[in-house]
Amino acid sequence: MPNIYDDDFSKLEHEGWSRVSDQYESAWANLTTQFIDPLLDAVGIHPGMQVLDVACGPGYVSQGIHLRMALPTGLDFSAAMVDLATRLFPHIRFVEGDAQRLEFPDETFDRVVMNFGMAHLIKPQEAIAEAHRVLKRNGKYGFTAWAGPELSPVAKVMNESIMQFADQSIQVPDAPAHYLFSDEQLCRNVLIEHGFDASGIQFRRHFIEWNVPTADFYFETEMRAGVRTVAFLKPQTSETLAKIKAAVREKMQQFYTGESYRLKFCGCVIAAVKR
C-alpha cells in the first residue's frame, strides 16, 4: 500500500514505525504484551470467532487470539510490521491497511481489538467509527490506552525531565493529546456517539511493572525505538539530551530493586458492545 497519509503526524508515525519495526521485540514487547490477556478477556474471545486485530504491529495480539481458538486477521499501516508479523506467525493472516479507513465490508467481525494504537492515529474517532461499522450486531470492541503521568510513575519521570530541560520551542506535528483516552468520561462519550451501547461500556485501569536492566534503558529505548516522543527529543542539542538522560537516570533509582528496575505503568482497558 502506498503512503496515503497526507498530514504530518500520520507521516511521522507511518515512517517511524516502519523504520523501527525490527526493534520492537527488544524495545517494547515486554511492556505492551502484558495487556494482551486483559484486553482479550474484556471483549470475551471465544473459539471460532472472527476477530480483527487493528494496529497489530508484530502480531502478538493476533497470536493471543489464535491461542484462544478464534480466527484473527491482523492489520497494520506499516508494511514492515506486516512482514514481521507474517514471519513470526505464518499461520495467521496479516494485511496492510489504515485503522481509520478499514477495507472490510460492514458487519464482518465478531470482535475488533486494538492494543495501544489510538495514540498513533491522527483521527482516532474515525478508527472507533470504523470498528463499529465492521462489527456484527452485538459484537464487542476493545482497546487499550496509556494512563497519564498522574497514574504512571515512570511516565511522570520522563515527562518531568523533558519539561525541565528540553527546548520547548522545538516544533513537532500537531496530534491528538497523547493520553486522550485515559479520560473515562470522554472515552464513554466518544463510544456512545459512534453507536456503542452506553450500558455495555467497560473502563478499567490495569497496573503493571516492566522489569528492565538499567536506569538508562527506558530513555535509550525511546531514543532507539520510539516515534512520537523521539520526534521532539532528537532535534534537542546533545547537551540538552545529556541533561534529560541524567535526570531520568537519577529519578529511576526509586524503582531499583537491587538487581533490576521495576518500572510502574498504568494502562486503560476499554470495551464496548455494538448496539
Side-chain angles (χ1 to χ4, degrees), residues 217-234:
F217 184 88
Y218 184 31
F219 180 85
E220 291 174 348
T221 297
E222 281 284 11
M223 295 300 296
R224 171 174 60 90
V227 173
R228 187 165 175 170
T229 300
V230 82
F232 179 70
L233 289 177
K234 279 211 167 173

Side-chain angles (χ1 to χ4, degrees), residues 69-96:
M69 300 177 67
L71 305 171
T73 297
L75 177 141
D76 201 275
F77 69 169
S78 165
M81 282 293 191
V82 170
D83 289 345
L84 175 60
T86 301
R87 292 197 305 272
L88 290 174
F89 307 109
H91 52 283
I92 296 174
R93 179 190 179 212
F94 295 99
V95 298
E96 192 178 351

